């Protein structure tokens, strides 16, 4: 039995991870191959922007700050975020991320749900580990529904 060929490596330079982005919260980069075993994103929060309280019950997340400053809060602690800071957030930890006056750019990495975990109809399984796909690219508000087509606050179309 032969092993499948490994996927091609991915390199993202500082010109892409330092991009300005649009809106209060921007996903600057994301792994795109659906056959990969990890999910990863580079995220930019504009100065003063916040990703409100959320959690992931099934998977932990590795969080690394690339530039800027801010805070990572859980119910039990608050950590100052500066370039090079790294946090492991185990499954089930409630957290919130706030950007400081200069904004914040960070990466998240987490295990990808196994295909067997999905519903029988073949659709994606449950909520993504990171709720960034539900954040309005214009005003930064989190959509209450997974399949929201427009931001309930400002009306900006969501990529569904």
């Amino acid at each position: 039995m032969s092993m499948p060929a490994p996927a091609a490596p991915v390199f993202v330079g500082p010109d892409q991870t330092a991009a300005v982005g649009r809106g209060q919260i921007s996903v600057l980069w994301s792994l795109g191959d659906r056959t990969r075993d990890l999910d990863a994103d580079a995220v930019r929060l504009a100065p003063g922007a916040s990703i409100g309280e959320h959690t992931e019950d099934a998977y932990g997340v590795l969080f690394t700050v690339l530039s800027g400053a801010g805070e990572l809060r859980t119910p039990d602690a608050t950590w100052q975020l500066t370039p090079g800071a790294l946090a492991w957030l185990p499954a089930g930890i409630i957290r919130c991320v706030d950007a400081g006056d200069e904004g914040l750019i960070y990466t998240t990495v987490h295990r990808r749900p196994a295909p067997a975990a999905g519903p029988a109809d073949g659709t994606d399984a449950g909520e993504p580990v990171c709720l960034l796909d539900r954040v309005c690219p214009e005003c930064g508000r989190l959509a209450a529904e997974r399949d929201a087509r427009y931001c309930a606050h400002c009306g900006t179309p969501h990529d569904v």
Side-chain angles (χ1 to χ4, degrees), residues 25-119:
I25 301 171
S26 303
V27 177
L28 301 174
W29 171 84
S30 205
L31 278 174
D33 178 9
R34 304 266 321 153
T35 63
R36 68 194 182 275
D37 56 354
L38 288 176
D39 273 340
D41 299 297
V43 179
R44 175 195 169 269
L45 300 183
S50 178
I51 295 183
E53 198 172 87
H54 63 285
T55 188
E56 171 51 49
D57 293 327
Y59 300 99
V61 176
L62 181 65
F63 181 102
T64 307
V65 177
L66 299 177
S67 66
E71 281 186 344
L72 171 63
R73 291 182 285 124
T74 68
D76 299 323
T78 298
W79 293 276
Q80 296 306 306
L81 299 174
T82 57
L86 182 134
W88 167 245
L89 304 168
I93 297 293
I94 297 170
R95 68 243 188 200
C96 163
V97 179
D98 300 318
D101 293 340
E102 56 190 280
L104 179 66
I105 298 176
Y106 64 91
T107 62
T108 61
V109 179
H110 43 83
R111 187 172 40 162
R112 197 171 162 70

Side-chain angles (χ1 to χ4, degrees), residues 128-150:
V129 171
C130 185
L131 298 177
L132 288 173
D133 65 326
R134 291 176 39 188
V135 173
C136 175
E138 191 60 37
C139 72
R141 296 285 177 105
L142 184 66
E145 302 85 25
R146 180 177 185 204
D147 59 352
R149 295 179 160 262
Y150 298 92

